[in-house]
Amino acid sequence: MSFSLMATQLNGSALAAAWLLTVYAISLQSMVIRRVRANERDAAVAWVLGGALVVGTGIWAASFLSLVALRLPIKIGYVQDVVLASWLPAVVIAAAAIWMQTHHQLATRARILGVLLVAVGVLMLIFVNASSVMLQPAMIWDGSATLGAALVLLLGCFLGSLLMDSDLERDPHQARHLGIAVLVGSIIWAGMSVQVQGIGVALNAVCLSADQLSGDSLEFVLTATVLILLVMAHMGTLQDARSVARNQVLSESLKAAQTALEEASHRDGATGLPNRLGFEQQLRHIIDTPSDVALNLNVLRLNIDGFHAFMATYGHGVGDGLIHTLALRLQGLVREGDVVARSDTDEFLLACRGLPDEHTAAVLAQRLQDAVHEPCLVQDQEIIVSCSIGISSYPDSATPEQLISHSNDAMLTARRAGGGVYCFFERGMDRIGASQVEMQRDLRHAVARNELVLHFQPKLRATTGELAGVEALLRWQHPTRGMVSPAEFIPVAERFGLIGELGQWVIEEACRHLRLWHDLGLDIPVAVNLSVHQLRQPDLEQRVREALLRHRVPARMLIMEITESVAMEDIEASLRVFDMLDQIGVRLSIDDFGTGYSSLSYLRRLPARQLKIDRSFVRDLDSSLDAQAIVEAVVRLAHALGLKVVAEGVETQDQADILAQLHCDELQGFLFARPMSEHTLMNWLGQRGNPSPLSSATGAQVAPAEEDVREAHDRATAWSDIEAGGLPGHA
Ligand code: C2E
Ligand code: MG
Ligand code: MG
């Protein structure tokens, strides 16, 4: 069936208004999406709904205006209810488009579906709006125009989806944004126009709704109203963007202020170092950081002696200057990764890693002390201060709190000792008596004041009664306390980190005597006692070698006694040190044997030459068969391992006889001689001539063992090597 159609015209101003609204609505859509993305949940939902309302209204109005642009020779009107009813689907379509676009990186399938939905929605809008014009006969749709419109709309929607996405991923840019809105809006507008152009009206058609919505003002009122709406929404987006940006700046500056505040609460204002809180935090971090290797960690608390009195005299300015200088010096002495903090007005806390043992920690403490003691030039005044250092070690003190509080206990002990010293933490330290603290203070000056002296106790061969050597035993002649026993002051020296110096003094003195006696024609091996702290000195071998060299003494003249329990405490370390000393030719002896719990396999590995049976076994020899059985077993074992056996604390002739019968090699004890000064020893030797106390007691004269003769010969050779300029070690 063919109809004659009315001539139709498109009204330019209505088309222009439709174009304006479409472009504006599209532009607003991406602005709304930005707001949705920038806001939190509730505000975002409000923006989706509000945005859909405005954008949907814009598109709805644009589609209606495209239709209004179609001018017919007859008067037409639009059924109000139908026009209004088409508004809701427009809003829903806009909501879907906005919601879709708020999701970053949309899946392709979802994007295609969304684009289809929107394009078909817009197409349907025109149909529905057109159906509000009730024509008799009904209007005719040109199929190819509708298809063309659908394709253009699809293109517009697809392009819009892609371009808007890429635009939203970047910073807002007016020109680009406007360009996209104009391009996409124009395509969609063109699609709507093409569809409207495909409407045909029969020549004889009558409009049944001519008395409904119509008139020239309709176009103007609608455009104006919707434009106002769009402008208002536009303002809203701008306002929101501004306030979100302001909030962001505010929250960022708030965050920065909070961080700065937190940092400040962990820092010392004067030095810029961490304060006590900051130190604890970093210490916790060090302990909590998982690692494959065992953590070596020491906390050193360094307190400036008499700082408050100093401030009272010099004033705060000088005090601050001093602290500043000291802070720099301390920082210069620690390794990277260590922590230096100022924990109090007169106090620094240091967390130092990689100090393998107490000795190394002590070396660092001494260095810190020396650095603090160096003169400081502050405000043209030369200031010299000292400090007290308390040291705690991980994992003995296992938590940051313990490390800090134990270093405090140790520091207080060091301070009570008069300051200027360092001290390691020990359990029950807070209960250390004042007398020990005082003793420690005096002991620090003992070497310089020549209050230390070596006494010597002879060791005799069990078979011949000949002098086999002497044991050097340290004595302290205190100006007021009199002679102080090593059993009393050695533990104090160990606790306060002074044993290294004392031990070195003993080695030097022993070598000096060896040389002195040799020059007098006496060839007496000297045994010195080594403390656990000396055993851990990394440079012990070098110190011994240097002392031997200095006094030109063959190493084989020196014996080093190490208490069994100490040697067994850290077997690997003992093995290392023993091997090193053995290498240079110094002989080693296991002291107080029987008091520790030696493992036979370890005993076999130690390159010791001598084993000293503890006094407690010797004491019971004449009364207990058990003690005899033990000594016999020890002697057998020692001989099997190639060790000589010395019995200590021999006080009675019976004990001496039994020990000789049990094939003990050497005897030492009050029965023969007490430890005595060098002068007394010389007299003792002189009086004795060469008679043996053993032989005088038993009446037997025993010939020297072949082994002893060889030993004497080797020693003589060693001495002549030295005199000829050889090294003190093995030839
Ligand atoms: P020690 O190495 O086992 O020394 C033997 C101790 O037994 C000495 O005590 C000595 O006087 C004592 N003694 C010797 N014969 C007898 C005896 O017949 N009966 C009794 N009741 N005692 C006897 P001293 O001199 O008081 O030394 C005690 C400990 O102090 C030593 O035990 C040694 O471990 C340590 N010591 C001494 N001098 C030094 C030293 O220079 N450095 C180190 N690190 N420790 C030392
Ligand atoms: Mg000893
Ligand atoms: Mg002993």
Side-chain angles (χ1 to χ4, degrees):
M1 214 169 32
S2 69
F3 293 94
S4 301
L5 298 177
M6 281 185 194
T8 54
Q9 254 184 348
L10 286 174
N11 174 275
S13 63
L15 275 183
W19 177 83
L20 180 67
L21 292 187
T22 314
V23 170
Y24 206 163
I26 296 295
S27 148
L28 204 62
Q29 181 180 337
S30 74
M31 288 165 94
V32 165
I33 291 163
R34 266 191 204 280
R35 299 326 322 133
V36 178
R37 287 188 181 181
N39 276 285
E40 296 294 322
R41 222 186 133 68
D42 287 351
V45 171
W47 270 113
V48 172
L49 295 178
L53 216 71
V54 178
V55 174
T57 305
I59 295 292
W60 165 79
S63 76
F64 185 61
L65 283 173
S66 310
L67 193 71
V68 169
L70 188 76
R71 294 291 152 90
L72 295 174
I74 55 168
K75 184 176 185 260
I76 54 168
Y78 307 88
V79 179
Q80 191 176 318
D81 292 349
V82 178
V83 172
L84 287 181
S86 68
W87 172 80
L88 195 62
V91 171
V92 172
I93 290 166
I98 291 171
W99 185 82
M100 207 171 60
Q101 209 91 47
T102 53
H103 290 80
H104 306 251
Q105 259 120 44
L106 205 63
T108 319
R109 215 190 306 160
R111 187 190 296 280
I112 291 173
L113 215 73
V115 164
L116 260 173
L117 178 81
V118 176
V120 171
V122 175
L123 209 62
M124 293 317 289
L125 261 182
I126 307 266
F127 276 127
V128 174
N129 280 330
S131 70
S132 72
V133 183
M134 298 178 71
L135 287 172
Q136 189 63 40
M139 54 180 68
I140 303 150
W141 294 92
D142 179 356
S144 52
T146 304
L147 184 68
L151 288 177
V152 173
L153 281 173
L154 271 173
L155 172 74
C157 291
F158 189 70
L159 216 61
S161 158
L162 282 183
L163 291 178
M164 259 189 241
D165 243 13
S166 74
D167 182 41
L168 287 165
E169 293 306 323
R170 295 183 224 165
D171 288 338
H173 187 277
Q174 284 304 326
R176 189 181 56 218
H177 171 81
L178 206 67
I180 292 171
V182 168
L183 177 69
V184 174
S186 300
I187 296 175
I188 290 176
W189 167 81
M192 294 193 290
S193 306
V194 168
Q195 196 190 1
V196 168
Q197 265 181 314
I199 292 175
V201 179
L203 244 182
N204 58 345
V206 183
C207 181
L208 303 179
S209 54
D211 56 341
Q212 300 263 335
L213 267 182
S214 67
D216 290 341
S217 58
L218 174 67
E219 175 191 322
F220 174 74
V221 171
L222 189 66
T223 309
T225 316
V226 174
L227 255 182
I228 289 168
L229 190 69
L230 289 172
V231 168
M232 276 167 64
H234 187 171
M235 293 300 158
T237 60
L238 293 181
Q239 183 58 34
D240 184 65
R242 234 172 279 142
S243 81
V244 166
R246 210 179 310 123
N247 279 351
Q248 210 164 358
V249 170
L250 207 70
S251 92
E252 264 163 26
S253 65
L254 212 73
K255 216 182 277 172
Q258 204 174 350
T259 316
L261 212 72
E262 203 178 287
E263 250 182 38
S265 75
H266 284 81
R267 289 225 160 258
D268 168 56
T271 57
L273 293 175
N275 59 15
R276 157 90 200 240
L277 263 179
F279 182 78
E280 201 174 320
Q281 189 189 44
Q282 295 194 32
L283 195 60
R284 195 176 298 284
H285 178 72
I286 293 174
I287 292 176
D288 290 347
T289 305
S291 164
D292 294 339
V293 283
L295 177 63
N296 279 321
L297 176 67
N298 287 91
V299 167
L300 293 93
R301 188 187 281 258
L302 192 151
N303 188 280
I304 316 289
D305 297 326
F307 186 73
H308 291 289
F310 167 84
M311 290 263 272
T313 316
Y314 289 91
H316 283 264
V318 178
D320 287 349
L322 175 69
I323 288 291
H324 228 275
T325 312
L326 295 183
L328 286 176
R329 285 186 191 170
L330 298 182
Q331 281 173 294
L333 280 176
V334 299
R335 294 190 205 156
E336 208 182 314
D338 289 350
V339 187
V340 179
R342 186 184 180 201
S343 48
D344 210 339
T345 328
D346 57 349
E347 205 163 80
F348 293 95
L349 271 171
L350 291 89
C352 299
R353 273 182 279 191
L355 304 172
D357 50 45
E358 257 186 23
H359 172 70
T360 332
V363 170
L364 174 65
Q366 187 58 56
R367 261 195 227 141
L368 295 170
Q369 258 168 357
D370 294 345
V372 168
H373 200 55
E374 286 271 305
C376 294
L377 197 65
V378 183
Q379 296 183 1
D380 292 333
Q381 312 216 39
E382 193 180 80
I383 297 156
I384 297 179
V385 286
S386 65
C387 64
S388 307
I389 301 180
I391 309 166
S392 58
S393 323
Y394 179 88
D396 292 343
S397 308
T399 62
E401 293 80 11
Q402 279 178 352
L403 280 163
I404 292 173
S405 104
H406 289 168
S407 71
N408 192 45
D409 291 346
M411 186 278 293
L412 288 176
T413 309
R415 208 162 63 177
R416 279 203 298 272
V421 286
Y422 54 84
C423 178
F424 286 91
F425 171 77
E426 269 177 35
R427 304 267 152 215
M429 177 154 253
D430 39 347
R431 295 191 298 277
I432 286 181
S435 71
Q436 279 208 8
V437 169
E438 250 171 57
M439 181 187 284
Q440 179 273 162
R441 193 181 44 214
D442 294 345
L443 197 54
R444 276 169 49 215
H445 308 294
V447 173
R449 289 179 188 156
N450 272 330
E451 290 169 5
L452 294 179
V453 58
L454 280 188
H455 275 196
F456 302 93
Q457 187 176 32
K459 291 187 286 180
L460 306 175
R461 294 218 165 82
T463 44
T464 61
E466 273 180 83
L467 183 72
V470 290
E471 177 174 5
L473 293 157
L474 190 54
R475 297 289 179 263
W476 179 19
Q477 271 168 317
H478 191 276
T480 53
R481 288 169 193 249
M483 192 70 89
V484 187
S485 156
E488 229 179 300
F489 71 83
I490 295 276
V492 176
E494 286 180 340
R495 174 171 299 153
F496 289 91
L498 297 169
I499 191 69
E501 195 191 348
L502 293 197
Q504 191 55 35
W505 183 86
V506 170
I507 293 171
E508 287 285 340
E509 265 305 278
C511 291
R512 190 176 70 81
H513 278 100
L514 277 164
R515 162 56 51 186
L516 196 80
W517 294 336
H518 176 74
D519 291 345
L520 291 174
L522 291 166
D523 191 11
I524 313 168
V526 177
V528 295
N529 291 282
L530 270 195
S531 79
V532 61
H533 293 262
Q534 283 175 287
L535 204 61
R536 289 181 185 159
Q537 283 175 336
D539 57 349
L540 177 68
E541 179 215 349
Q542 193 188 343
R543 285 161 181 259
V544 173
R545 198 201 292 269
E546 281 172 6
L548 290 169
L549 258 176
R550 208 171 356 262
H551 299 282
R552 291 186 299 117
V553 169
R556 60 183 311 121
M557 295 302 291
L558 193 63
I559 300 169
M560 297 202 143
E561 295 189 5
I562 293 135
T563 308
E564 185 200 10
S565 53
V566 166
M568 293 300 149
E569 194 180 276
D570 183 353
I571 296 288
E572 292 309 319
S574 303
L575 277 175
R576 230 179 9 253
V577 178
F578 278 31
D579 275 335
M580 278 192 313
L581 292 173
D582 187 57
Q583 288 279 313
I584 57 173
V586 170
R587 287 179 298 163
L588 298 155
S589 171
I590 311 279
D591 204 355
D592 303 338
F593 187 79
T595 53
Y597 299 94
S598 292
S599 145
L600 274 187
S601 61
Y602 284 132
L603 204 58
R604 216 174 46 209
R605 283 170 65 194
L606 288 178
R609 307 290 178 99
Q610 201 178 70
L611 199 147
K612 293 183 84 175
I613 301 181
D614 189 60
R615 202 162 64 218
S616 55
F617 298 100
V618 175
R619 189 183 51 218
D620 300 337
L621 266 185
D622 35 11
S623 58
S624 151
L625 286 177
D626 277 356
Q628 283 190 26
I630 292 172
V631 171
E632 193 178 359
V634 169
V635 172
R636 271 221 208 100
L637 166 80
H639 283 166
L641 293 174
L643 302 173
K644 283 201 163 179
V645 181
V646 183
E648 304 187 280
V650 184
E651 291 183 351
T652 67
Q653 190 59 51
D654 283 351
Q655 289 168 352
D657 290 341
I658 295 168
L659 286 162
Q661 278 165 22
L662 295 176
H663 304 294
C664 215
D665 299 288
E666 291 172 19
L667 308 178
Q668 176 184 354
F670 292 171
L671 172 68
F672 314 112
R674 289 182 173 258
M676 52 192 141
S677 67
E678 191 216 356
H679 177 73
T680 320
L681 176 72
M682 291 298 120
N683 283 342
W684 182 83
L685 285 172
Q687 276 169 15
R688 209 170 152 257
N690 201 12
S692 146
L694 277 181
S695 57
S696 66
T698 57
Q701 190 71 46
V702 187
E706 199 183 313
E707 206 182 325
D708 296 333
V709 174
R710 198 170 49 240
E711 170 71 32
H713 174 261
D714 288 351
R715 282 207 302 260
T717 319
W719 275 113
S720 42
D721 281 354
I722 284 274
E723 303 303 5
L727 288 173
H730 289 306

